[in-house]
Structures are given as structure tokens and as C-alpha cells.
Amino acid sequence: MKIGGVPLFPQQADTGAAGVDMVALVVCAICGLLALGVLVAVVYFLIRYRAGSDVNRDNPPEGHLPLELSWVGGAVVLSLVMFIFGARAYYDLRVAPTDSFEIEVVGRQWMWKIRHPSGRREINTLHVPLGTKIKLKMISRDVIHSFYLPEFRTKHDVLPGRYTDLWIEPKKLGRFTLACSEYCGTDHSRMKGEVVVVTPEEYESWQALSPLTSVQRGERLYLKMACDSCHEYQDGQVVSGAPLLDGIYGSTVGLEAGGSTKVDDDYLRRSILRPKAQVVAGFQPIMPTYEGRLSEEELLDLIAYIRSRSGSTVDDGGKK
Amino acid sequence: MKTHLLVWLSLMLLLGLTVVAWQYHLGFLMALAIAVTKAALVIAFFMHLRKESPLTKFVAGAVLFWLLILFGFTLADYFSRLGF
Amino acid sequence: MKDYLYEDVSLKSWLLTTDHKRIGILFLLTITFFFIIGGVAATLMRMELATAPGDLVSADVYNRLFTLHGTVMVWLFLIPSIPATLGNFLLPLMIGAKDLAFPRLNLLSWYVFLFGGLLTLWSIIIGGVDTGWTFYTPYSTTYTNSHVIMMAAGIFIVGFSSIFSGLNFIVTVHSLRAPEMTWTRLPLFVWTLYATSLIMVLATPILSVTLVLIAAERLFGVGIFDPALGGDPLLFQHLFWFYSHPAVYIMILPGMGVISEILPCFARRPIFGYKFIAGSSLAIAVFGFLVWGHHMFAAGQSLYAGLVFSFLSFLVAVPSGIKVFSWTATLYKGSIRFDTPMLYALGFMGLFTIGGLTGLFLATLAVDVHLTDTFFVVAHFHFIMVGGMLMAYLGGLHFWWPKMTGKLYPETLGRISAVLIFLGFNGTFLPQFILGYLGMPRRYYAYPEQFEFLNVISSAGAVLLALGYALPLAYFTWSLIKGRPAGADPWNAAGLEWKVSSPPPHHNFETIPVVEQPYRYPRPGHE
């Protein structure tokens, strides 16, 4: 729909977009009817009961309990209808299917860095294969940003210090908008880019052009930072008191301070940056901090590598 | 005057208890419980809530309830986020 | 006997006055000053947005402009607007009291407000703040190098003015009502002031604490919000919206009260559903505290918290629905006159209804994910704040202007201004709903070409709107000198404030006034 070359409705590029638009239309219909009802009543009363008109004005009611209560009841019921529609669609929007293909996003003032599993990286452009469920694992290097894809009807804030996610399933080939929608400083309005939806075959050949996968980069980093001097067996012996990394991802570990935690991406990230905060039960807090020594990208590489040691290729939130 | 002195003494006692609780690692719930008791004593005696009108008591209770809303809903987000 | 304006005309008598009426006038002058500053910023923003590329000002200047606009309009205009001016002036008159319960606290409230306001202004003069009025962390605490602490200090101080006024109003309503002024005879405006005061007293301290934490984080790096120090930036959003969502009701509730006074007077019949309207004000004050999380559906809040907050947000819409219903029913079997205050009130009803209903889009989880942080949100809250509160404020000002000054304003110009503002407002903000759904994020100073057409309409509407605001400023000032004398009761209205002369004498009532049922229209013996 266009007026004078101006579209009045954004394209639907995601399989979920129609669902969101549907909910919006339901809300729109309910609100439209209510607004129309008020408008018609007000205009009718204003004309009919204008001063000087010759109409019956005997005993204007000062209240009408059944009418008022049924209005309240009706409003509650309509609210529930809208809530349920919205909540169902929200659940679908927020909870990524477990078999999603994972792409990583690092936001910073003022650009988006995108990292594909093959190791291919790009800036402010996101290549995605058509018809594939894609989960974006996102983190910010500095302030809060928001990854907004209007044609996909979804967005989520990208926080520093914690991974958040967003999932899409492109159903249309072409180029679509990517924008930052959480105010992030001077060039907030320039922090935008494109989503390029290509066929799965094109995507395959596109992302194959990459020197190293993130797992490979992570492994190099792992050796370079000498993580293996503590976290590995040598001749069947743990060298230093550190948990072995094989199979740890997705498991639940007891903590030295009591309680337990799932080993997911966020836990791994915290344990690298602030190792003493949540020490695994039975170990000493001897690991040095890597705060300030690793970039968000390097952390993602390391986590990808540690995950691969547990045979996991996607962030399933530790749900196994 | 005598009540005030007694309340003051029990506050000092509770203060000592806080230190002891810390030394024996009794956890933050214990510390919180002691702090709440102390606050209750101060409000009831030093701030005279005990002898105030029901309306004032109602207001004090309402404010406490309102504070619970702030803490409750915020913590609800944190707990459901961490998957407790 | 001289009235409160001419009893003593020295500057000293104004600056040391404890008369609630004079303090109301002092607030009126102060917030008008701040409104003009906020308005100039808005004008510059709309000029910048008239074209797609960022060409008029730089990005940094634009970011400072919208921060200035938001901060000044929210804290220095909207929050004190009706309560501190009309509320201060009318509350004692309406309940048959000689003044507020704590007249000197009332004066202090004004001085504190002025000081905090000037401090905020100072932070703008020395370079401004570029965080947006929301001060989201960690941008505000760690990354920006603008004058956040100075502005936070200003708002911190202004907060005390809110608390003082709220406290004063609550005590006054409880203890200074005239002998026969029972709770069910209170004018509905007083009910809304009471509900507003509750929110002011309960919510404002949380804002103060949050601002102190921001300053502490900036100055000492305490690490409450900074994830690099183990803090959580979302905690700030929780604390901020715990104040700032109820603050929206601080801004709209008194407006609802004003409308509830104007409608029966110009429909010449009692208000419909008095108890429902009074009760819904209290319900809004209470439920308003339970919904803040709907600002964070896409911010990293947990799924389950989102569900709870969405559900509660729908419920808080119900009391507002009750009010719109009752106002509409008040027109039934009336004898409706279309004087200026009534035109403003009708404008309010239309715009507030749209503002409220579009709020339901944002309470709906899945739709909010698409719309949050876009121009849809901007349009929605301007419909509530400007279309709602500002229309009500101007309506109330036109309604009680004869009482406050003893002078009549030119009626024709008044009607023209009401119509101009209504049209200009819709021109400005209706296109922004479409822009939002199309996906134009807010706080963008340059935007893609495809959004230009709708932005041009919006900017054109803003011109009309600015003209509409300039009119009352001009003819109100003119009426002070040349306006015809109003007499005690130009509208033939019910309510104690119309029983005293205009302007009212220093101590309002010489004898204890006789209280009757509220909204006794048509006036017995007059019509």
C-alpha cells in the first residue's frame, strides 16, 4: 500500500512477520471499534444536546451501575483477548528453536560486527540463507544497542556483559533494513546496515570464503593464552587444579560457594573475565582474570572452541 | 525514657549480633533479618508508630507493601532470567 | 477589601508570600518559561527532521536538543504543570480552606523548584547532556562526557519540590476540608490531585536514589550498573521506570481532574458516575506502580516478567476507560455550550482516547517488540502528554483564568487557539504512528529518504501547533491589561471557588462557606 510513492506498511520478510501484523490488526480492530464508538456517541450527543436545541432533558442520569460494571467487564475481557494474542506471538518471537543456525553479533559505537560459523566476518551487513531458522547471539562491547529488523518485525537490545538473542527465519530474497534502535550516542542514527537474504546455496559458497572458523580461531587463542597449561591432562594427570573442559558445556556444575549453575555461554564468559566469582566445587580460585585482555570477539571464539570440546555447535543455553 | 533506653540497648545487642553473624558466615539472609528487626524497633518506638493513629499505621504498612512491589517485581525478573 | 493580587504589590511581598494563590502564580510564570525553552528545542528538532539528511545541526547538537526537550518538558513543565499552578491555586478554594496545610513548605517548594530548574538549565548552558531524558546506563555512567551529574543534581533537587507539594496536598485534603465537605462531595479535581500526590510522595524518592547512584557510578565507579564491574545496566531501567511510569500518571491524572470539572459546567448537568471517576483515579495511582516493566519487553528482561507486566498493563487501561465512558455519558441530556474551555476539553477527550488506545498496541507483547523505540512510541506518549495533559492544562487555564486574574480573555481568539492546537497536534503526531510502524527508530537525527514525506507533514503540523500555543500567550497577557472584568462567576459554575470574588481575597473565605452536592447543574435559581 502506497500513497504518493510512500509505503504505509513495511514488507514482511520473515515467516513470523505476518503473525505479528495479525496481532497488530486484532488490536487495531478492537481499538478502532472502541474509538469509533466514543466518537459517534460524543458527536451525536454534542449535536443533539447542544444548548438551545428542543429535546427532552428530564432527569439526566448521574450513574448507572449495571452499565458501568458491564463496561468494566467488557474492557477486561477485551484486554484479555489482546493480551493472549500478544503473549502467544511474543513467545514464538522470543524463544528460538533449538535447531537454529547461529550467527554472532557484536555491537559497538557505532557499527555492527557479524560473525558467521564458518569464520567469515562482515560489518553492518548480515548475509542470511533463505528459509533457515537463524539465531543471532548478540553482545555489546560498550553501551546498550538494539538490533532492529523492521521488515522482520523483531528487535532486541544488545547488552554489554551478557549475551542476548534474537531469531529470524527469512522468507523473502532481497535487501532489508538493519538499524540500531536504542540510543547509543553521537552516531546512533548512522549505526545501521543491511540484511541480505540469499539462497542457501549462495550462502554456502559465500561463507566458504573464510580463512579460519571461529572454533579454529578459538583453539589458536586457547593455545596462545596458554589455557592448556592448566585445563589439560598431561600423561593422564591434571597439571594444575583446573576443571577439564571436555564435556563441560551444557552440564550443571556445583559451585565452591554453594549452589550450582548451568554451564552456558554467559557462565563461560563470566568465568574467563571474573574467574573467582563462581568457582567450580573442589577447585581453588587460582585462575587470573582475563578482563581487559580479550575482546568480545576473542571471547566468542574461545567460547565456540570450548563448546566444540563438548560436541556442541550452537548455543542451546545449556539446555541438554 | 526507660523504654527508650531498653530499645537502644536491644539495638546495640542486634548490632553486635550482626558482627557475630558476619564472622560466622551466617549469610546475607541473617544479616537482612537482623536489619529488619532493628528498623522495626526504630519505627515502632523511636518514631512513635506504636502510639499513632490507625491511619498512620496504615500508611506505614502501605509504604512497606509498596517497597515490596519494587523489590518483588525486580527480583522476579532476575530470578526468572537466571533460571532459578 | 483588596484581592490577593493587589493587597501588597511590592516584589518582596511576592517573593516572601505564603499565599497559595500567589505561589500558584509564581509556578505558572516559572513553568511557562521552561515550556518556552522546551518548545524552542522541539522546534529545532522538527526543523532538522524536515529533511532526511542531517543538515541543520550536528548529531551531537541534535542529541543534546532531544535530551533538553525531554528533561525540561517532563520535569520542569509537565510534572508541576497542573498540580503546582492550578492545583496550588484551587485546592484550598475548592475544599473551603484558607490556605494549604503548610504554607511555608509551599513557598519552599517553589524556591527548591526554581533552584533545581536553574541548575538543570545551567547544565545545558555549559554544554548540555546527550543521554536522553532516560539516562540509560552504561551510556550515562561510563561513556558520555557531557554534564550528566549537573543535570541529575538539578532533577534531584526538583524532585524535592514534587515531594513537598504532594505531602502538602495530602495533608490539606485530610485536615482542612470545610465542615460539610465530605469525601464524596470533593470536586473530582481534588480527587485527582490527591491521587497524584500519593504517587509524587511514593515514587519520587526512587528517582532521587537512582540519580544519586548515577552520580556515584560516574564519580566513584561503584559498579552498580556497569557490567564491567559486575553491575547490571537493566537494574537502572527497573529503578528508572519504577518512578517514570507512575510519573506518567502524575502528568495525566490532574488533567483528567480538570476535564471532570469543565465537562459538567458546559454540559449544564451533573457529572456521570462520580464515584467511578473518583475511584478510578485511586486505581490508576495504585496500578500505575505495577506496570513499569512494559518499557523493557525488548530490553533483556526475562520472558516471564514480560508476560506479567503486559497483563498488568492491560488492567491499568481499564480505569482510564471508565473515565472516558463517564465523560461521554456526561454529555447525554446536557445543554452543551461550546466556550473555549469546553473546546479544549473535547479536544482532550479525542486525543486522550487515541493516546490511550495506542498504548494498548505497546502493552501487547509481540507488537511492542516491533514498535518500541520507534516513532510510534513518540507519537503515543505525545498524544497522552501533549494531546492529553497540555490540552487539559490549557483548558483549565482558560476555565479558571477569570478566577485567577479577574479578567476575561477574548473568547473568539480562545476558540481559534483551541481549534488550531487540535489540528496542528494531529498534523504533527498522526504521521508519526505510521513512521513508527514502518520502522523509523526514535532519536535519529538523519533518516532514510523513504520517511521524508511523512516527516514533512509532521513538521508542517508543528508550525500550526506552535502558532496555536503563541495565541494564548499573547491574549492572556493582553487580557491582564485590557480584559473586561470577569465577576465572581462568569461561567455560572458550581464549586466553592466560584463563590468568592475574582480575584479571590487574601484568605479566600471570610466566613465558613456552605457546601452543597458537587456539580449541581443546572444552577438552581440561575437557570
Side-chain angles (χ1 to χ4, degrees), chain C residues 50-180:
Chain C
T51 54
D55 38 19
L56 181 69
V57 294
S58 72
D60 274 329
V61 170
Y62 184 81
N63 294 344
R64 279 163 171 75
L65 281 175
F66 71 66
T67 307
L68 157 66
H69 174 70
T71 314
V72 168
M73 286 302 199
V74 168
W75 281 297
L76 304 181
F77 177 71
L78 284 168
I79 289 201
S81 62
I82 294 184
T85 58
L86 296 174
N88 236 327
F89 193 96
L90 292 166
L91 177 62
L93 283 167
M94 282 181 153
I95 62 172
K98 285 183 189 294
D99 207 317
L100 288 174
F102 309 116
R104 276 174 294 193
L105 186 69
N106 198 19
L107 181 65
L108 180 65
S109 173
W110 179 69
Y111 275 106
V112 166
F113 176 77
L114 188 67
F115 180 60
L118 290 177
L119 206 61
T120 309
L121 214 55
W122 179 244
S123 76
I124 293 159
I125 292 167
I126 59 175
V129 176
D130 68 344
T131 61
W133 76 280
T134 46
F135 295 109
Y136 268 24
T137 56
Y139 185 70
S140 64
T141 48
T142 313
Y143 289 88
T144 180
N145 51 11
S146 55
H147 302 274
V148 174
I149 294 181
M150 182 72 79
M151 185 174 270
I155 295 160
F156 177 85
I157 292 166
V158 166
F160 281 93
S161 166
S162 267
I163 297 173
F164 293 161
S165 292
L167 213 60
N168 219 340
F169 287 0
I170 292 174
V171 176
T172 306
V173 173
H174 272 277
S175 57
L176 293 187
R177 281 171 289 131
E180 314 230 298

Side-chain angles (χ1 to χ4, degrees), chain C residues 351-478:
Chain C
L351 300 179
F352 176 74
T353 304
I354 296 175
L357 289 173
T358 49
L360 297 179
F361 284 77
L362 300 170
T364 307
L365 284 157
V367 183
D368 179 76
V369 168
H370 174 48
L371 293 179
T372 188
D373 284 321
T374 69
F375 261 77
F376 192 95
V377 174
V378 176
H380 159 68
F381 71 68
H382 280 87
F383 262 81
I384 300 284
M385 300 288 86
V386 186
M389 184 63 164
L390 194 55
M391 287 298 262
Y393 174 64
L394 287 173
L397 218 50
H398 282 88
F399 187 46
W400 284 294
W401 186 260
K403 177 54 60 186
M404 297 166 84
T405 63
K407 298 291 172 63
L408 292 173
Y409 51 83
E411 178 64 23
T412 318
L413 282 177
R415 292 183 192 187
I416 291 173
S417 79
V419 173
L420 258 185
I421 291 176
F422 184 79
L423 294 178
F425 178 84
N426 279 308
T428 312
F429 293 102
L430 277 178
Q432 295 186 4
F433 283 121
I434 305 172
L435 280 171
Y437 208 88
L438 283 172
M440 177 171 165
R442 62 192 288 207
R443 296 175 170 178
Y444 265 33
Y445 101 111
Y447 54 86
E449 286 278 325
Q450 50 165 334
F451 299 137
E452 197 167 51
F453 177 69
L454 289 165
N455 268 298
V456 168
I457 298 180
S458 181
S459 291
V463 175
L464 219 57
L465 192 58
L467 222 66
Y469 291 143
L471 262 181
L473 208 63
Y475 64 70
F476 274 149
T477 317
W478 176 89

Side-chain angles (χ1 to χ4, degrees), chain A residues 7 10 21 49 51 57-58 61-62 68 71 83 90 142-144 148 155 157 162 180-183 185-186 188 190, chain C residues 60 63 130 137 139 143 269 273 297-298 300 310 321 332-334 336 369-370 372-373 437-439 443-445:
Chain A
D21 286 343
Y49 296 108
R57 294 191 169 87
D58 294 341
E62 291 187 36
E68 284 164 309
W71 168 254
F83 167 72
Y90 182 66
D142 35 53
V143 302
I144 299 177
Y148 181 29
K155 72 160 72 70
D157 282 12
R162 176 155 71 91
C180 175
S181 63
E182 185 67 71
Y183 174 69
T186 307
H188 167 56
R190 294 210 182 92
Chain C
D60 274 329
N63 294 344
D130 68 344
T137 56
Y139 185 70
Y143 289 88
R269 55 151 289 169
F297 288 157
S310 165
Y332 174 63
K333 289 199 168 181
I336 300 161
V369 168
H370 174 48
T372 188
D373 284 321
Y437 208 88
L438 283 172
R443 296 175 170 178
Y444 265 33
Y445 101 111

